Amino acid sequence: MHVLVAGAHGRLGSRVVALLLARGHAVRALVRTDAQAAALRDVGAEAVVADLRGDVEWAADGCEAAVFAAGARHRAELGSIDAGGAAKFAEAADRYELSRFVLPSVIGADRPERRDGGVREFLAAKQHAERRLARLGLAWTILRLGRLTEEAGDGRIDTVVRAGAPVTTSRDDAALAIVEALARGQLARRVVNVVDGDRPVADALDAVEPLPLPPPQPPPTGAAAPLGAAQADNPPDDPDMIAADAEPLDADVDWEGDGPVPPAPVGNEDPAPGIP
């Protein structure tokens, strides 16, 4: 799989890139500077330099999946990176019809109003990105992570936030969950919590129930029905309307038209005099 990773030089994104490369995937790494690009090329990634505050749509061309692992370095950038940048990146993936998209978000993004100050702004930015993503037809997955830590990962998570338990996620395990989620089509259009736990990452994600199929809807009728469907629903001919001795239609007869063809106009003659 050819995966585009935004924020590929960050603490989370660099882990995602390393895991993807180790599994044999091709990685296009989206970074801010030439120095970051050079470092990623050294480990085997295809690196491109772009700013999420500008045009990034072109970066998705030729890729099959994408991960948005970027994050604002300063509070003033929350709107342009975590909110607008993530939404723009997702829309680029949708524009190029990528098959999978994973957005790492944060637990609490559904209720930013419960917090104050900078935390509230951070959660609101994540909520904005989630809502913009949810409107797309893309096969997205949102992973809501706990507070990210530098603790060594043990490959185990939980997808349920339990009362009284620490809401933290090791960056090692968050990166592993992102890579595993890319490979799981059953997680399309799902929001999944990922916190430190005791279940292997793959098992925990496999246990997430897929969304049920939408209930069957009756076919559209009337003006809402496509012409072909409307014609297909025509009732059969009434036998009483058909003459018993009628000759079957011969499809091979020569068509003679509906009468003589009027003479072609000559010069500027009006072919339909009297009609405005």
Side-chain angles (χ1 to χ4, degrees):
M1 188 185 300
H2 197 170
V3 186
L4 173 64
V5 180
H9 195 262
R11 288 181 290 174
L12 179 60
S14 60
R15 289 169 164 88
V16 171
V17 169
L19 286 171
L20 289 169
L21 292 173
R23 296 186 178 199
H25 299 293
V27 175
R28 180 176 295 167
L30 188 66
V31 294
R32 290 177 183 241
T33 68
D34 290 329
Q36 293 172 348
L40 284 159
R41 292 187 188 109
D42 286 344
V43 299
E46 172 198 357
V48 294
V49 178
D51 191 332
L52 287 164
R53 294 168 295 184
D55 176 24
V56 295
E57 182 173 293
W58 54 270
D61 188 15
C63 293
E64 300 165 86
V67 174
F68 186 85
R73 294 176 295 177
H74 307 288
R75 183 173 174 178
E77 293 181 328
L78 284 171
S80 59
I81 302 299
D82 294 69
K88 186 189 308 181
F89 191 72
E91 287 159 3
D94 186 55
R95 163 70 176 79
Y96 282 97
E97 300 181 342
L98 273 60
S99 60
R100 296 287 288 121
F101 186 94
V102 175
L103 174 68
S105 187
V106 62
I107 292 170
D110 56 329
R111 299 288 298 277
E113 67 278 4
R114 298 172 65 181
R115 305 299 294 271
D116 296 314
V119 174
R120 180 171 183 164
E121 291 180 28
F122 174 65
L123 295 176
K126 295 297 187 183
Q127 182 186 71
H128 176 86
E130 289 188 6
R131 288 180 172 178
R132 289 275 295 272
L133 178 59
R135 292 202 295 263
L136 302 175
L138 195 61
W140 51 261
T141 299
I142 295 171
L143 298 182
R144 285 187 181 152
L145 310 174
R147 181 177 59 83
L148 292 172
T149 73
E150 292 296 323
E151 296 293 329
D154 60 4
R156 294 178 178 274
I157 62 168
D158 202 340
T159 58
V160 177
V161 179
R162 306 185 188 282
V167 185
T168 58
T169 310
S170 159
R171 283 188 174 84
D172 290 343
D173 293 333
L176 181 57
I178 290 168
V179 173
E180 293 286 358
L182 276 175
R184 284 166 168 74
Q186 75 270 24
L187 296 182
R189 306 189 72 80
R190 296 303 308 266
V191 179
V192 182
N193 293 326
V194 175
V195 295
D196 294 328
D198 55 9
R199 298 192 66 176
V201 169
D203 292 348
L205 295 180
D206 284 338
V208 175
E209 294 292 332
L211 287 172
L213 293 174
Q217 299 294 321
T221 58
L227 179 60
Q231 291 176 336
D233 289 338
N234 287 342
D237 295 324
D238 185 345
D240 294 336
M241 299 291 292
I242 302 175
D245 58 348
E247 292 292 333
L249 177 65
D250 184 354
D252 294 329
V253 299
D254 292 330
W255 176 249
E256 297 181 357
D258 293 324
V261 178
V266 177
N268 292 324
E269 292 180 5
D270 187 351
I275 299 177

